[in-house]
Amino acid sequence: MTTTCHRTTAASVIVGLVIAGAHLIGATSAHADDVKPSVPPGTEPSASAPVPIDSNAPGLKMPQGGTLAPIKVLDIAEVVEDLGGEQRRQETNQTVMMALQSEVLFPENSAVFNAQAAARIQAIAQEINTQKATRIRVFGFTDDQGSYEHGKELSKQRADAVQAELAKTVTNPSVVFDVRGYSEDYPIADNSTEEGRKKNRRVEITFPRGATGAAG
């Protein structure tokens, strides 16, 4: 299978953090209350700084009296997507996330599996067994076509179907599933194009990486 691989290097992440964190003392910044998070709850970056960092250290101060905002350390993510974008794998130092486009699992506007869906999900379940994961998130998403409430119901039904199939193969009896449907929230592509909407119609399966590392 042909894949495209996009890697984020540690150096570029560090540079991005410094630039993003810089601000001038006394400068105003935009702020909005009750803003919806940019990622579903429970999927926020989990990396921590390997060493303490003092944002007031002389070597980190900006010109004209500027200082750094509080340091944030982001997970370094490696993303591998198949040529058609039907399946996407994202790995950080903490988690593995597998995203499957809805079209490869379900008929249009349906939560009933097609003939190929079970095999795809069982392969992911086997990796979950290898990683010895004890907590699995299964999140469903739709595009912005149709009503929000219909999208929420459909995305939850699809997530439920994937969870039920995973449970047939995952062997850990103490595993905990977190299953949610988010409708059109948290798009990963532009909903104004069919290509973008296709990417947004997806089910994501996320689980912690085990001590054995990622399966090959």
Side-chain angles (χ1 to χ4, degrees):
M1 177 175 66
T2 303
T3 61
T4 56
C5 182
H6 313 285
R7 300 175 185 268
T8 305
T9 65
S12 63
V13 171
I14 293 171
V15 171
L17 289 174
V18 172
I19 294 174
H23 70 280
L24 295 179
I25 292 178
T28 60
S29 60
H31 177 74
D33 292 324
D34 301 322
V35 174
K36 186 177 295 183
S38 59
V39 295
T43 62
E44 299 87 353
S46 56
S48 58
V51 295
I53 300 174
D54 180 7
S55 60
N56 293 316
L60 295 177
K61 288 191 175 181
M62 307 296 289
Q64 290 83 44
T67 61
L68 293 176
I71 298 297
K72 294 181 179 179
V73 179
L74 303 181
D75 284 320
I76 299 174
E78 177 180 318
V79 179
V80 179
E81 186 176 88
D82 66 19
L83 190 60
E86 295 177 346
Q87 183 165 316
R88 179 168 54 92
R89 178 190 183 95
Q90 178 175 309
E91 289 191 59
T92 71
N93 60 321
Q94 299 287 334
T95 63
V96 177
M97 188 274 287
M98 304 292 292
L100 297 171
Q101 288 185 6
S102 295
E103 280 78 356
V104 305
L105 300 177
F106 307 98
E108 183 178 357
N109 203 34
S110 171
V112 178
F113 283 140
N114 61 32
Q116 295 77 37
R120 285 180 177 266
I121 296 168
Q122 288 165 10
I124 296 173
Q126 292 291 358
E127 180 169 352
I128 290 171
N129 289 336
T130 300
Q131 301 286 359
K132 297 180 173 59
T134 58
R135 186 173 185 87
I136 305 168
R137 295 191 296 265
V138 185
F139 294 167
F141 306 85
T142 64
D143 58 27
D144 65 352
Q145 306 300 291
S147 73
Y148 181 86
E149 289 305 319
H150 174 70
K152 191 167 185 178
E153 180 180 3
L154 180 62
S155 59
K156 178 59 163 58
Q157 290 174 344
R158 287 175 167 175
D160 284 337
V162 170
Q163 182 273 327
E165 189 63 38
L166 286 170
K168 296 177 183 178
T169 305
V170 172
T171 57
N172 189 334
S174 61
V175 69
V176 175
F177 287 92
D178 181 9
V179 185
R180 308 186 194 185
Y182 283 107
S183 189
E184 65 195 57
D185 292 338
Y186 313 111
I188 59 173
D190 186 356
N191 269 315
S192 67
T193 68
E194 176 52 30
E195 181 182 1
R197 291 192 293 270
K198 189 175 181 180
K199 290 184 177 182
N200 290 333
R201 298 190 295 265
R202 68 198 191 278
V203 177
E204 295 181 355
I205 304 166
T206 306
F207 50 93
R209 292 182 59 160
T212 57

